[in-house]
Amino acid sequence: MPKAEKGSAKDVANRMKAKGLQKLKFYCQMCSKQCRDENGFKCHLTSDSHLRNMKLFRDNASGIMDDFSSEFENVFVETLRRRHGTQRMNANNVYQEVIMDKNHVHMNSTKWASLSDFVQYLGKKGKCVVEETERGWYVTYIERDPALLARQEALKKKAVADQREEQL
C-alpha cells in the first residue's frame, strides 16, 4: 500500500497519530478516547459507548468527578515529591511534567477549573507551601514521611553532638 503524499491531509493525520499526544480539545476523559479532529470528536459524542458512559456519569457525577480529581491530585503531588522533593517549583512546570504521560487525567475532568484553583487547594489542604509571584504560582512540597523526618532529626542531633565534641 503506497504512503500518503507529503503534505496531504492523510499524511498530516498519520504524523499526528505517530506523535502521540494531540489537542486536548478532542479528548473524552470518560471514554479515554482521543479524536484527531472536530468531526471525529462529534462522531464519538453520538456513539453508543459514549452515551452509555455519560449515562453512568449522570447517575454518579460527583463520585466520578471526585475520583478523577483525587487521581489528578495524587499524580501531581507524587510528581512534585519524587522529582523535586522540597524544592520550590513553578506549578506550571510540574503540571507540564504530569501531562507528559499520555494516559494522565486531564485537568478539565477534575473539580478545579484552572491550575491556579488547584494550587490554592493544595495550599489550603496543607500539602504544599504555595506562593504567588509575578511569574506565576510556585509550590513547595511539605515532607510528611515519618521515617525521613526521623532520619533528618537524627542527623541534626549528630551534627549538634559533633559540634559540642569539637568545642571540648
Side-chain angles (χ1 to χ4, degrees), residues 138-154:
Y138 282 82
V139 292
T140 307
Y141 178 71
I142 299 172
E143 187 60 62
R144 299 207 189 291
D145 181 25
L148 183 63
L149 294 174
R151 210 173 320 129
Q152 288 174 345
E153 188 65 34

Side-chain angles (χ1 to χ4, degrees), residues 60-68:
N60 185 18
S62 63
I64 292 172
M65 189 83 90
D66 288 343
D67 289 346
F68 284 144

